[in-house]
Amino acid sequence: MSPITFVQPDGTERIVNVESGLSVMRTALANNIPGIVAECGGNAMCATCHVFVDSSQGLPTIGDEEDGLLDCTATDRRTGSRLSCQIPALPGLRISVPEEQ
């Protein structure tokens, strides 16, 4: 089990332990993290699991589908924007949840 931190728009933080191999989205849903909607269930089709990652170190690069969807998010794309369904829940990740999905 590895800890990652979810930060809500109001600054509230919640640390959760995750099993290796789970995505950030699956981890958020399993731990009832507010703000991660995930309407498509993790198929990179909706962008309702948009998050901001403090550091992309160790994360896979953004693929073409994810890159296109990040241009269609409810909260503007910025540095660190990712779809949480496309990134593994790696130890030490700090994930900020946007104000809206």
Side-chain angles (χ1 to χ4, degrees), residues 25-84:
M25 183 211 73
R26 294 268 177 231
T27 301
L29 295 177
N31 288 280
N32 298 312
I33 301 296
I36 307 291
V37 179
E39 288 179 354
C40 74
N43 294 306
M45 297 175 70
C46 70
T48 60
C49 67
H50 178 216
V51 295
F52 306 112
V53 182
D54 284 0
S55 172
S56 62
Q57 185 175 359
L59 295 180
T61 57
I62 295 175
D64 291 339
E65 287 180 0
E66 181 181 6
D67 190 42
L69 285 168
L70 287 169
D71 288 332
C72 304
T73 57
T75 299
D76 289 340
R77 181 180 187 164
R78 65 182 193 211
T79 302
S81 282
R82 294 299 301 260
L83 296 183
S84 63

